[in-house]
Amino acid sequence: MREEDVDRLRRDTPGTDAVVHLNNAGSSLPPRQVTDTVLDYLREESVRGGYETAAAHADHIRGVYDGIARFLGADAADISVTDSATRSWQAVFYAFRFAPGDRILTGRAEYASNAIAYLQIARRTGAVVEVVEDDESGQLDIADLERRLDDTVKLIAITHVPTQGGLVNPAEEVGAIAERAGIPFLLDACQSAGQLDLDVRRLRCDALSATGRKYVRGPRGTGFLYTHPRLRERLEPAMLDLYSATWTAPEEFEIAPDGRRFETWERNYGLVLGLGAAVDYARRVGLPAIEERVTALAARLRADLSQIAGVTVHDQGKRKCGIVTFSVAGTEAAEVQQRLAAAKINTSITRPTSYQYDQEVRNLPAMVRASVHYYNTEDELRALTETVERLA
């Protein structure tokens, strides 16, 4: 990505004038095109009426599905638009019907929300949750995954990029194994969508969930879901309404055949259009270019932090992305974050309660998480490392 391209992207991002934003794995700064789309719709709705405005923008709203489909290498019929990554993921997971002895395979990088859902279903149904080990690099061990497969495995569900570091799990290899075995594969792409070049055909996943607010740079309160037809046809959602199904007779209903089966009637169409604007913006920038720049900036930040005495960088895996986690000896993560915030540098903290499967092996402290995006600059990374160096 050329310097002039970065300058242009920063001009589209008003927040870069006010803060060094290195919390993109939490919630990115949106480009002005996204904010303007949401506000323009809400203003129109306030003078025209909610139903009337939605009807006037029906083609534009349908276009959001087309844009997300192109973003993921899917068909528009495979896309559901929701209000969060969690809602997307849960819409698929809670549609499975588990029985005693059924096995759910996941990884050590799994996020708390997903793990809690596994445990709830295990208690409710007698299903068993198994954690696949990591290999020597820290990523999910493909060989261990294959060793665990048999007819009792009903779902493979992993997190692509965890909350606690820059690891990128080998999702394409997992997808190939799951497809050969005929086992559904659910991929949580909450933190990879928008920073990595995702293609569901390469990933071979049966379902993929994501959010708008993180690397996609969309509004909060938005998410999306991809489901392959081979999975949709065998799942009945846990909840239905008059949008996800049609009441065809007093005692009959038909579930929508496409991604609408995982949606509900009510939604904030201003946010939906904002999500569409964010996806279109990312596609114009280009996912390969985004991935290349984000990965390079994070690698630079890891290298610079590693040179500071007393600082430990905790990222692992053969492949790494735009998330950098670190700790400072003798200084709590909260204090480091506060000192950075005082210098107008946004970061976040990731705590062991969010990654218990990983924690039981690695015994990690609470860590500062700095997550870069393509609009960040080397000068901004230098501002972070200089502040951390004064603390160490």
Side-chain angles (χ1 to χ4, degrees):
M1 193 175 289
R2 300 173 302 174
E3 196 69 31
E4 53 266 38
D5 294 329
V6 177
D7 290 342
R8 173 178 54 80
L9 296 167
R10 287 176 67 83
R11 287 194 298 272
D12 282 346
T13 310
T16 59
D17 293 333
V19 69
V20 175
H21 191 71
L22 297 172
N23 190 18
N24 296 287
S27 187
S28 285
L29 298 177
R32 66 175 77 248
Q33 290 86 342
V34 170
T35 305
D36 289 347
T37 296
V38 175
L39 293 178
D40 287 348
Y41 184 90
L42 293 177
R43 290 189 186 101
E44 182 178 345
E45 192 178 61
S46 72
V47 297
R48 191 174 192 172
Y51 280 29
E52 293 75 12
T53 304
H57 288 269
D59 289 343
H60 194 183
I61 292 165
R62 280 193 293 270
V64 173
Y65 292 78
D66 295 329
I68 296 171
R70 290 191 290 271
F71 184 76
L72 295 174
D75 294 326
D78 301 332
I79 303 302
S80 312
V81 175
T82 70
D83 60 9
S84 69
T86 299
R87 192 86 69 183
S88 298
W89 188 93
Q90 289 178 339
V92 171
F93 178 71
Y94 282 101
F96 280 90
R97 297 295 177 259
F98 295 101
D102 287 347
R103 294 161 62 218
I104 302 167
L105 300 187
T106 189
R108 290 212 169 272
E110 200 66 351
Y111 186 58
S113 290
N114 301 351
I116 289 168
Y118 302 146
L119 296 174
Q120 182 191 40
I121 289 299
R123 289 179 181 178
R124 186 182 291 172
T125 68
V128 177
V129 183
E130 284 188 22
V131 180
V132 178
E133 297 299 335
D134 289 338
D135 66 17
E136 65 281 356
S137 77
Q139 70 174 23
L140 183 138
D141 189 331
I142 293 297
D144 187 46
L145 173 64
E146 288 192 287
R147 282 193 295 269
R148 293 173 183 266
L149 298 184
D150 61 26
D151 291 342
T152 66
V153 177
K154 303 304 180 183
L155 177 66
I156 299 170
I158 69 167
T159 292
H160 199 188
V161 170
T163 190
Q164 67 270 25
L167 164 73
V168 180
N169 263 321
E172 291 184 25
E173 291 91 330
V174 173
I177 290 169
E179 188 175 70
R180 286 197 301 270
I183 299 169
F185 173 34
L186 169 57
L187 181 64
D188 182 342
C190 185
Q191 297 195 136
S192 56
Q195 68 157 318
L196 303 181
D197 185 14
L198 304 183
D199 188 315
V200 293
R201 293 163 297 192
R202 291 197 317 265
L203 292 165
R204 303 185 190 185
C205 53
D206 294 275
L208 178 150
S209 59
T211 184
R213 67 179 160 87
K214 294 178 182 276
Y215 279 96
V216 178
R217 302 185 66 196
R220 296 199 69 173
T222 60
F224 54 94
L225 171 68
Y226 157 81
T227 49
H228 194 287
R230 69 184 172 216
L231 181 66
R232 282 202 309 275
E233 66 187 15
R234 59 179 285 191
L235 292 184
E236 178 175 314
M239 294 180 292
L240 296 170
D241 72 355
L242 81 173
Y243 187 79
S244 51
T246 301
W247 196 15
T248 56
E251 302 296 330
E252 300 291 336
F253 65 89
E254 293 180 1
I255 302 174
D258 56 14
R260 286 181 301 145
R261 68 171 51 200
F262 296 111
E263 299 181 347
T264 55
W265 165 258
E266 185 55 37
R267 65 190 61 210
N268 184 324
Y269 282 111
L271 296 184
V272 170
L273 292 177
L275 173 63
V279 167
D280 290 345
Y281 191 93
R283 290 179 53 245
R284 287 194 298 272
V285 176
L287 271 299
I290 292 172
E291 179 175 333
E292 181 180 11
R293 178 166 175 82
V294 169
T295 302
L297 285 172
R300 172 66 182 272
L301 181 57
R302 285 188 199 96
D304 290 347
L305 286 169
S306 297
Q307 296 302 311
I308 302 173
V311 172
T312 301
V313 175
H314 296 279
D315 303 325
Q316 56 180 5
K318 293 178 183 177
R319 181 185 176 194
K320 299 180 181 67
C321 64
I323 299 174
V324 180
T325 50
F326 65 94
S327 57
V328 179
T331 306
E332 295 293 329
E335 183 179 347
V336 177
Q337 183 198 33
Q338 289 165 9
R339 293 287 290 274
L340 289 168
K344 295 187 176 180
I345 302 170
N346 290 348
T347 59
S348 61
I349 300 174
T350 181
R351 294 181 172 86
T353 50
S354 292
Y355 44 87
Q356 291 288 349
Y357 293 149
D358 199 15
Q359 181 66 6
E360 68 178 354
V361 171
R362 297 175 65 195
N363 194 29
L364 295 165
M367 299 175 290
V368 180
R369 186 179 71 183
S371 43
V372 304
H373 216 324
Y374 56 78
Y375 57 72
N376 291 125
T377 66
E378 292 192 2
D379 285 344
E380 290 181 323
L381 303 189
R382 194 173 302 112
L384 181 140
T385 56
E386 288 176 353
T387 304
V388 171
E389 192 166 18
R390 288 193 290 271
L391 281 168

Short mmCIF file of all heavy atoms in Angstrom, two decimals, residues 107-166:
data_model
loop_
_atom_site.label_atom_id
_atom_site.label_comp_id
_atom_site.label_asym_id
_atom_site.label_seq_id
_atom_site.Cartn_x
_atom_site.Cartn_y
_atom_site.Cartn_z
N GLY A 107 -10.95 -25.52 19.86
CA GLY A 107 -9.52 -25.32 20.06
C GLY A 107 -9.23 -24.55 21.33
O GLY A 107 -10.13 -23.99 21.97
N ARG A 108 -7.96 -24.49 21.69
CA ARG A 108 -7.56 -23.77 22.90
C ARG A 108 -7.73 -22.27 22.77
O ARG A 108 -7.81 -21.56 23.76
CB ARG A 108 -6.11 -24.11 23.26
CG ARG A 108 -5.95 -25.54 23.73
CD ARG A 108 -4.86 -25.71 24.76
NE ARG A 108 -4.95 -27.05 25.35
CZ ARG A 108 -5.68 -27.36 26.40
NH1 ARG A 108 -6.39 -26.42 27.00
NH2 ARG A 108 -5.71 -28.59 26.86
N ALA A 109 -7.79 -21.78 21.54
CA ALA A 109 -7.95 -20.35 21.32
C ALA A 109 -9.40 -19.87 21.47
O ALA A 109 -9.67 -18.69 21.30
CB ALA A 109 -7.44 -19.97 19.93
N GLU A 110 -10.31 -20.78 21.82
CA GLU A 110 -11.74 -20.45 21.79
C GLU A 110 -12.08 -19.33 22.77
O GLU A 110 -11.54 -19.23 23.87
CB GLU A 110 -12.57 -21.69 22.09
CG GLU A 110 -14.00 -21.58 21.64
CD GLU A 110 -14.15 -21.52 20.13
OE1 GLU A 110 -13.15 -21.39 19.39
OE2 GLU A 110 -15.30 -21.58 19.66
N TYR A 111 -13.03 -18.50 22.34
CA TYR A 111 -13.45 -17.32 23.10
C TYR A 111 -14.52 -17.70 24.11
O TYR A 111 -15.29 -18.64 23.91
CB TYR A 111 -13.98 -16.26 22.13
CG TYR A 111 -14.33 -14.95 22.77
CD1 TYR A 111 -13.38 -14.22 23.49
CD2 TYR A 111 -15.61 -14.41 22.63
CE1 TYR A 111 -13.70 -13.01 24.06
CE2 TYR A 111 -15.94 -13.19 23.21
CZ TYR A 111 -14.98 -12.50 23.92
OH TYR A 111 -15.30 -11.29 24.49
N ALA A 112 -14.62 -16.92 25.18
CA ALA A 112 -15.50 -17.23 26.30
C ALA A 112 -16.96 -17.42 25.88
O ALA A 112 -17.63 -18.36 26.32
CB ALA A 112 -15.40 -16.14 27.36
N SER A 113 -17.48 -16.53 25.04
CA SER A 113 -18.90 -16.62 24.66
C SER A 113 -19.21 -17.96 24.01
O SER A 113 -20.25 -18.57 24.29
CB SER A 113 -19.27 -15.48 23.71
OG SER A 113 -19.27 -14.25 24.40
N ASN A 114 -18.34 -18.41 23.13
CA ASN A 114 -18.55 -19.69 22.46
C ASN A 114 -18.43 -20.85 23.45
O ASN A 114 -19.24 -21.78 23.45
CB ASN A 114 -17.55 -19.88 21.32
CG ASN A 114 -17.64 -18.78 20.28
OD1 ASN A 114 -18.55 -17.96 20.29
ND2 ASN A 114 -16.69 -18.77 19.36
N ALA A 115 -17.40 -20.80 24.28
CA ALA A 115 -17.18 -21.89 25.23
C ALA A 115 -18.34 -22.01 26.21
O ALA A 115 -18.77 -23.13 26.56
CB ALA A 115 -15.87 -21.65 25.99
N ILE A 116 -18.88 -20.90 26.65
CA ILE A 116 -20.03 -20.94 27.56
C ILE A 116 -21.22 -21.61 26.88
O ILE A 116 -21.95 -22.40 27.50
CB ILE A 116 -20.38 -19.51 28.03
CG1 ILE A 116 -19.29 -19.01 29.00
CG2 ILE A 116 -21.75 -19.47 28.70
CD1 ILE A 116 -19.38 -17.53 29.31
N ALA A 117 -21.41 -21.31 25.59
CA ALA A 117 -22.51 -21.95 24.85
C ALA A 117 -22.29 -23.46 24.76
O ALA A 117 -23.23 -24.25 24.92
CB ALA A 117 -22.63 -21.34 23.46
N TYR A 118 -21.05 -23.89 24.49
CA TYR A 118 -20.76 -25.34 24.45
C TYR A 118 -21.12 -25.99 25.78
O TYR A 118 -21.76 -27.05 25.82
CB TYR A 118 -19.27 -25.60 24.20
CG TYR A 118 -18.68 -25.02 22.94
CD1 TYR A 118 -17.36 -24.57 22.92
CD2 TYR A 118 -19.41 -24.94 21.76
CE1 TYR A 118 -16.80 -24.05 21.78
CE2 TYR A 118 -18.85 -24.43 20.61
CZ TYR A 118 -17.55 -23.97 20.63
OH TYR A 118 -16.98 -23.45 19.50
N LEU A 119 -20.68 -25.35 26.86
CA LEU A 119 -20.89 -25.94 28.19
C LEU A 119 -22.37 -25.99 28.54
O LEU A 119 -22.85 -26.96 29.15
CB LEU A 119 -20.11 -25.15 29.23
CG LEU A 119 -18.58 -25.19 29.08
CD1 LEU A 119 -17.92 -24.25 30.08
CD2 LEU A 119 -18.04 -26.60 29.23
N GLN A 120 -23.11 -24.95 28.16
CA GLN A 120 -24.55 -24.96 28.42
C GLN A 120 -25.24 -26.12 27.70
O GLN A 120 -26.04 -26.86 28.28
CB GLN A 120 -25.17 -23.65 27.98
CG GLN A 120 -26.67 -23.57 28.26
CD GLN A 120 -27.34 -22.40 27.58
OE1 GLN A 120 -27.02 -22.08 26.44
NE2 GLN A 120 -28.25 -21.75 28.29
N ILE A 121 -24.90 -26.30 26.42
CA ILE A 121 -25.50 -27.37 25.64
C ILE A 121 -25.05 -28.74 26.15
O ILE A 121 -25.83 -29.71 26.17
CB ILE A 121 -25.18 -27.20 24.14
CG1 ILE A 121 -25.96 -26.00 23.59
CG2 ILE A 121 -25.49 -28.45 23.34
CD1 ILE A 121 -27.47 -26.14 23.67
N ALA A 122 -23.80 -28.84 26.58
CA ALA A 122 -23.32 -30.11 27.14
C ALA A 122 -24.11 -30.47 28.39
O ALA A 122 -24.52 -31.63 28.57
CB ALA A 122 -21.83 -30.00 27.45
N ARG A 123 -24.36 -29.50 29.27
CA ARG A 123 -25.15 -29.76 30.47
C ARG A 123 -26.59 -30.12 30.12
O ARG A 123 -27.22 -30.96 30.76
CB ARG A 123 -25.14 -28.52 31.37
CG ARG A 123 -23.81 -28.22 32.04
CD ARG A 123 -23.91 -26.98 32.89
NE ARG A 123 -22.63 -26.66 33.54
CZ ARG A 123 -22.43 -25.59 34.31
NH1 ARG A 123 -23.44 -24.77 34.54
NH2 ARG A 123 -21.25 -25.37 34.86
N ARG A 124 -27.10 -29.48 29.09
CA ARG A 124 -28.50 -29.66 28.73
C ARG A 124 -28.76 -30.99 28.01
O ARG A 124 -29.83 -31.59 28.16
CB ARG A 124 -28.93 -28.48 27.85
CG ARG A 124 -30.40 -28.43 27.50
CD ARG A 124 -30.68 -27.25 26.58
NE ARG A 124 -30.52 -25.97 27.26
CZ ARG A 124 -30.57 -24.79 26.64
NH1 ARG A 124 -30.75 -24.74 25.32
NH2 ARG A 124 -30.44 -23.67 27.32
N THR A 125 -27.80 -31.45 27.22
CA THR A 125 -28.04 -32.58 26.31
C THR A 125 -27.19 -33.81 26.60
O THR A 125 -27.50 -34.89 26.09
CB THR A 125 -27.77 -32.16 24.86
OG1 THR A 125 -26.37 -31.90 24.69
CG2 THR A 125 -28.57 -30.92 24.49
N GLY A 126 -26.10 -33.67 27.35
CA GLY A 126 -25.19 -34.79 27.54
C GLY A 126 -24.12 -34.87 26.47
O GLY A 126 -23.35 -35.84 26.42
N ALA A 127 -24.05 -33.86 25.60
CA ALA A 127 -22.96 -33.80 24.62
C ALA A 127 -21.64 -33.55 25.35
O ALA A 127 -21.62 -33.13 26.51
CB ALA A 127 -23.22 -32.69 23.60
N VAL A 128 -20.55 -33.79 24.65
CA VAL A 128 -19.21 -33.69 25.24
C VAL A 128 -18.41 -32.65 24.47
O VAL A 128 -18.38 -32.66 23.24
CB VAL A 128 -18.48 -35.05 25.18
CG1 VAL A 128 -17.06 -34.92 25.74
CG2 VAL A 128 -19.28 -36.11 25.94
N VAL A 129 -17.75 -31.75 25.21
CA VAL A 129 -16.88 -30.74 24.61
C VAL A 129 -15.44 -31.21 24.73
O VAL A 129 -14.97 -31.52 25.83
CB VAL A 129 -17.04 -29.37 25.29
CG1 VAL A 129 -16.18 -28.32 24.59
CG2 VAL A 129 -18.50 -28.95 25.32
N GLU A 130 -14.73 -31.28 23.61
CA GLU A 130 -13.32 -31.67 23.61
C GLU A 130 -12.47 -30.56 23.03
O GLU A 130 -12.82 -29.98 22.00
CB GLU A 130 -13.10 -32.95 22.80
CG GLU A 130 -13.54 -34.21 23.47
CD GLU A 130 -13.11 -35.45 22.70
OE1 GLU A 130 -12.15 -35.36 21.90
OE2 GLU A 130 -13.76 -36.49 22.88
N VAL A 131 -11.35 -30.29 23.68
CA VAL A 131 -10.44 -29.24 23.23
C VAL A 131 -9.27 -29.89 22.49
O VAL A 131 -8.51 -30.67 23.08
CB VAL A 131 -9.93 -28.40 24.41
CG1 VAL A 131 -8.99 -27.31 23.92
CG2 VAL A 131 -11.11 -27.78 25.16
N VAL A 132 -9.12 -29.57 21.23
CA VAL A 132 -7.99 -30.06 20.43
C VAL A 132 -6.74 -29.33 20.89
O VAL A 132 -6.76 -28.11 21.13
CB VAL A 132 -8.25 -29.81 18.93
CG1 VAL A 132 -7.06 -30.26 18.09
CG2 VAL A 132 -9.52 -30.53 18.49
N GLU A 133 -5.64 -30.05 21.02
CA GLU A 133 -4.39 -29.45 21.50
C GLU A 133 -3.78 -28.53 20.44
O GLU A 133 -4.10 -28.62 19.25
CB GLU A 133 -3.39 -30.53 21.88
CG GLU A 133 -3.84 -31.41 23.04
CD GLU A 133 -4.06 -30.63 24.33
OE1 GLU A 133 -3.43 -29.55 24.50
OE2 GLU A 133 -4.86 -31.08 25.16
N ASP A 134 -2.88 -27.66 20.87
CA ASP A 134 -2.08 -26.84 19.96
C ASP A 134 -0.81 -27.58 19.58
O ASP A 134 -0.33 -28.45 20.32
CB ASP A 134 -1.71 -25.52 20.63
CG ASP A 134 -2.91 -24.59 20.79
OD1 ASP A 134 -3.89 -24.76 20.04
OD2 ASP A 134 -2.85 -23.70 21.65
N ASP A 135 -0.22 -27.21 18.45
CA ASP A 135 1.07 -27.76 18.08
C ASP A 135 2.18 -26.93 18.70
O ASP A 135 1.92 -26.01 19.48
CB ASP A 135 1.20 -27.90 16.56
CG ASP A 135 1.22 -26.56 15.83
OD1 ASP A 135 1.44 -25.51 16.48
OD2 ASP A 135 1.02 -26.57 14.59
N GLU A 136 3.42 -27.21 18.33
CA GLU A 136 4.56 -26.53 18.96
C GLU A 136 4.59 -25.04 18.66
O GLU A 136 5.22 -24.26 19.39
CB GLU A 136 5.87 -27.19 18.52
CG GLU A 136 6.22 -27.07 17.04
CD GLU A 136 5.46 -28.08 16.17
OE1 GLU A 136 4.72 -28.92 16.73
OE2 GLU A 136 5.60 -28.00 14.93
N SER A 137 3.91 -24.60 17.60
CA SER A 137 3.89 -23.17 17.26
C SER A 137 2.82 -22.41 18.02
O SER A 137 2.84 -21.18 18.07
CB SER A 137 3.66 -22.99 15.75
OG SER A 137 2.30 -23.20 15.42
N GLY A 138 1.86 -23.14 18.59
CA GLY A 138 0.77 -22.51 19.32
C GLY A 138 -0.54 -22.47 18.56
O GLY A 138 -1.56 -22.02 19.10
N GLN A 139 -0.55 -22.95 17.31
CA GLN A 139 -1.80 -23.01 16.58
C GLN A 139 -2.46 -24.37 16.77
O GLN A 139 -1.85 -25.31 17.28
CB GLN A 139 -1.56 -22.77 15.08
CG GLN A 139 -0.84 -23.92 14.39
CD GLN A 139 -0.73 -23.73 12.89
OE1 GLN A 139 -0.78 -22.61 12.38
NE2 GLN A 139 -0.57 -24.82 12.15
N LEU A 140 -3.73 -24.46 16.38
CA LEU A 140 -4.45 -25.72 16.51
C LEU A 140 -3.69 -26.84 15.79
O LEU A 140 -3.26 -26.68 14.65
CB LEU A 140 -5.85 -25.58 15.94
CG LEU A 140 -6.76 -26.80 16.08
CD1 LEU A 140 -8.16 -26.38 16.49
CD2 LEU A 140 -6.82 -27.59 14.78
N ASP A 141 -3.53 -27.97 16.48
CA ASP A 141 -2.77 -29.10 15.96
C ASP A 141 -3.64 -29.92 15.01
O ASP A 141 -4.57 -30.62 15.43
CB ASP A 141 -2.29 -29.97 17.13
CG ASP A 141 -1.30 -31.04 16.71
OD1 ASP A 141 -1.37 -31.51 15.56
OD2 ASP A 141 -0.46 -31.43 17.54
N ILE A 142 -3.34 -29.82 13.73
CA ILE A 142 -4.13 -30.51 12.71
C ILE A 142 -4.09 -32.02 12.90
O ILE A 142 -5.10 -32.72 12.75
CB ILE A 142 -3.62 -30.13 11.31
CG1 ILE A 142 -3.90 -28.64 11.03
CG2 ILE A 142 -4.27 -30.99 10.24
CD1 ILE A 142 -5.37 -28.28 11.02
N ALA A 143 -2.94 -32.55 13.25
CA ALA A 143 -2.82 -34.00 13.45
C ALA A 143 -3.67 -34.46 14.62
O ALA A 143 -4.32 -35.52 14.55
CB ALA A 143 -1.35 -34.37 13.67
N ASP A 144 -3.69 -33.68 15.70
CA ASP A 144 -4.52 -34.06 16.86
C ASP A 144 -5.99 -33.99 16.50
O ASP A 144 -6.79 -34.84 16.93
CB ASP A 144 -4.21 -33.14 18.04
CG ASP A 144 -4.92 -33.58 19.31
OD1 ASP A 144 -4.90 -34.78 19.63
OD2 ASP A 144 -5.53 -32.72 19.98
N LEU A 145 -6.37 -33.01 15.69
CA LEU A 145 -7.76 -32.93 15.23
C LEU A 145 -8.15 -34.19 14.47
O LEU A 145 -9.19 -34.79 14.73
CB LEU A 145 -7.94 -31.70 14.35
CG LEU A 145 -9.30 -31.55 13.66
CD1 LEU A 145 -10.42 -31.38 14.68
CD2 LEU A 145 -9.29 -30.38 12.68
N GLU A 146 -7.31 -34.60 13.55
CA GLU A 146 -7.63 -35.78 12.73
C GLU A 146 -7.72 -37.04 13.59
O GLU A 146 -8.57 -37.91 13.35
CB GLU A 146 -6.58 -35.96 11.64
CG GLU A 146 -6.68 -34.93 10.53
CD GLU A 146 -5.85 -35.28 9.34
OE1 GLU A 146 -4.60 -35.15 9.44
OE2 GLU A 146 -6.41 -35.69 8.30
N ARG A 147 -6.86 -37.15 14.60
CA ARG A 147 -6.87 -38.33 15.47
C ARG A 147 -8.18 -38.46 16.24
O ARG A 147 -8.60 -39.56 16.59
CB ARG A 147 -5.71 -38.28 16.46
CG ARG A 147 -4.35 -38.67 15.87
CD ARG A 147 -3.33 -38.90 16.98
NE ARG A 147 -3.05 -37.68 17.72
CZ ARG A 147 -2.07 -36.83 17.41
NH1 ARG A 147 -1.30 -37.05 16.34
NH2 ARG A 147 -1.87 -35.75 18.13
N ARG A 148 -8.83 -37.35 16.51
CA ARG A 148 -10.04 -37.35 17.33
C ARG A 148 -11.32 -37.64 16.55
O ARG A 148 -12.38 -37.83 17.15
CB ARG A 148 -10.19 -35.99 18.02
CG ARG A 148 -9.11 -35.71 19.06
CD ARG A 148 -9.22 -34.28 19.58
NE ARG A 148 -8.15 -33.96 20.51
CZ ARG A 148 -8.21 -34.06 21.83
NH1 ARG A 148 -9.34 -34.50 22.39
NH2 ARG A 148 -7.19 -33.75 22.60
N LEU A 149 -11.24 -37.69 15.24
CA LEU A 149 -12.46 -37.82 14.44
C LEU A 149 -13.01 -39.23 14.44
O LEU A 149 -12.29 -40.20 14.26
CB LEU A 149 -12.17 -37.39 12.99
CG LEU A 149 -11.74 -35.94 12.78
CD1 LEU A 149 -11.59 -35.65 11.29
CD2 LEU A 149 -12.73 -34.97 13.41
N ASP A 150 -14.32 -39.31 14.67
CA ASP A 150 -15.05 -40.56 14.46
C ASP A 150 -16.53 -40.19 14.29
O ASP A 150 -16.87 -39.00 14.17
CB ASP A 150 -14.84 -41.56 15.61
CG ASP A 150 -15.31 -41.04 16.96
OD1 ASP A 150 -16.22 -40.16 17.00
OD2 ASP A 150 -14.80 -41.50 18.00
N ASP A 151 -17.40 -41.17 14.29
CA ASP A 151 -18.80 -40.92 14.01
C ASP A 151 -19.53 -40.15 15.11
O ASP A 151 -20.64 -39.66 14.89
CB ASP A 151 -19.54 -42.25 13.78
CG ASP A 151 -19.11 -42.94 12.50
OD1 ASP A 151 -18.53 -42.25 11.64
OD2 ASP A 151 -19.35 -44.16 12.37
N THR A 152 -18.91 -40.03 16.29
CA THR A 152 -19.57 -39.31 17.37
C THR A 152 -19.32 -37.80 17.30
O THR A 152 -19.95 -37.04 18.05
CB THR A 152 -19.11 -39.83 18.75
OG1 THR A 152 -17.72 -39.53 18.93
CG2 THR A 152 -19.34 -41.32 18.87
N VAL A 153 -18.39 -37.36 16.46
CA VAL A 153 -18.11 -35.92 16.33
C VAL A 153 -19.20 -35.31 15.45
O VAL A 153 -19.35 -35.66 14.28
CB VAL A 153 -16.73 -35.66 15.72
CG1 VAL A 153 -16.51 -34.15 15.52
CG2 VAL A 153 -15.64 -36.23 16.62
N LYS A 154 -19.96 -34.38 16.02
CA LYS A 154 -21.09 -33.77 15.31
C LYS A 154 -20.81 -32.34 14.87
O LYS A 154 -21.55 -31.79 14.06
CB LYS A 154 -22.34 -33.78 16.20
CG LYS A 154 -22.74 -35.18 16.68
CD LYS A 154 -22.96 -36.13 15.50
CE LYS A 154 -23.37 -37.52 16.00
NZ LYS A 154 -23.52 -38.48 14.88
N LEU A 155 -19.74 -31.73 15.40
CA LEU A 155 -19.42 -30.36 15.04
C LEU A 155 -17.96 -30.07 15.34
O LEU A 155 -17.45 -30.46 16.40
CB LEU A 155 -20.31 -29.38 15.83
CG LEU A 155 -20.04 -27.88 15.61
CD1 LEU A 155 -20.39 -27.47 14.18
CD2 LEU A 155 -20.83 -27.04 16.61
N ILE A 156 -17.31 -29.38 14.41
CA ILE A 156 -16.00 -28.78 14.64
C ILE A 156 -16.21 -27.27 14.62
O ILE A 156 -16.72 -26.73 13.64
CB ILE A 156 -14.98 -29.18 13.56
CG1 ILE A 156 -14.77 -30.70 13.56
CG2 ILE A 156 -13.65 -28.46 13.78
CD1 ILE A 156 -13.96 -31.20 12.37
N ALA A 157 -15.87 -26.60 15.70
CA ALA A 157 -16.11 -25.16 15.82
C ALA A 157 -14.87 -24.51 16.42
O ALA A 157 -14.49 -24.84 17.55
CB ALA A 157 -17.34 -24.88 16.68
N ILE A 158 -14.26 -23.61 15.68
CA ILE A 158 -13.04 -22.96 16.18
C ILE A 158 -13.11 -21.45 15.95
O ILE A 158 -13.88 -20.96 15.14
CB ILE A 158 -11.76 -23.52 15.51
CG1 ILE A 158 -11.70 -23.12 14.03
CG2 ILE A 158 -11.67 -25.01 15.69
CD1 ILE A 158 -10.34 -23.34 13.40
N THR A 159 -12.26 -20.74 16.69
CA THR A 159 -12.07 -19.31 16.48
C THR A 159 -10.87 -19.12 15.56
O THR A 159 -9.80 -19.67 15.81
CB THR A 159 -11.84 -18.61 17.83
OG1 THR A 159 -13.06 -18.65 18.58
CG2 THR A 159 -11.42 -17.18 17.64
N HIS A 160 -11.05 -18.34 14.53
CA HIS A 160 -9.99 -18.11 13.55
C HIS A 160 -8.84 -17.31 14.15
O HIS A 160 -7.68 -17.72 14.08
CB HIS A 160 -10.58 -17.37 12.34
CG HIS A 160 -9.75 -17.46 11.10
ND1 HIS A 160 -10.02 -16.73 9.97
CD2 HIS A 160 -8.66 -18.20 10.81
CE1 HIS A 160 -9.15 -17.03 9.03
NE2 HIS A 160 -8.31 -17.91 9.52
N VAL A 161 -9.18 -16.16 14.75
CA VAL A 161 -8.20 -15.29 15.42
C VAL A 161 -8.69 -15.05 16.83
O VAL A 161 -9.79 -14.54 17.02
CB VAL A 161 -8.04 -13.96 14.67
CG1 VAL A 161 -7.21 -12.97 15.49
CG2 VAL A 161 -7.40 -14.17 13.30
N PRO A 162 -7.91 -15.41 17.85
CA PRO A 162 -8.40 -15.31 19.23
C PRO A 162 -8.32 -13.89 19.78
O PRO A 162 -7.66 -13.01 19.20
CB PRO A 162 -7.45 -16.24 19.99
CG PRO A 162 -6.17 -16.14 19.22
CD PRO A 162 -6.57 -16.03 17.78
N THR A 163 -8.97 -13.68 20.91
CA THR A 163 -8.91 -12.37 21.56
C THR A 163 -7.56 -12.12 22.21
O THR A 163 -7.18 -10.97 22.44
CB THR A 163 -10.03 -12.26 22.62
OG1 THR A 163 -10.10 -10.92 23.09
CG2 THR A 163 -9.79 -13.20 23.81
N GLN A 164 -6.81 -13.18 22.53
CA GLN A 164 -5.61 -13.06 23.36
C GLN A 164 -4.31 -13.06 22.57
O GLN A 164 -3.25 -13.31 23.12
CB GLN A 164 -5.56 -14.18 24.41
CG GLN A 164 -5.36 -15.59 23.86
CD GLN A 164 -6.66 -16.27 23.55
OE1 GLN A 164 -7.68 -15.64 23.30
NE2 GLN A 164 -6.66 -17.60 23.56
N GLY A 165 -4.35 -12.74 21.27
CA GLY A 165 -3.09 -12.65 20.55
C GLY A 165 -3.24 -12.66 19.05
O GLY A 165 -4.34 -12.77 18.51
N GLY A 166 -2.10 -12.57 18.36
CA GLY A 166 -2.08 -12.45 16.92
C GLY A 166 -2.14 -13.74 16.15
O GLY A 166 -1.99 -13.75 14.92
#
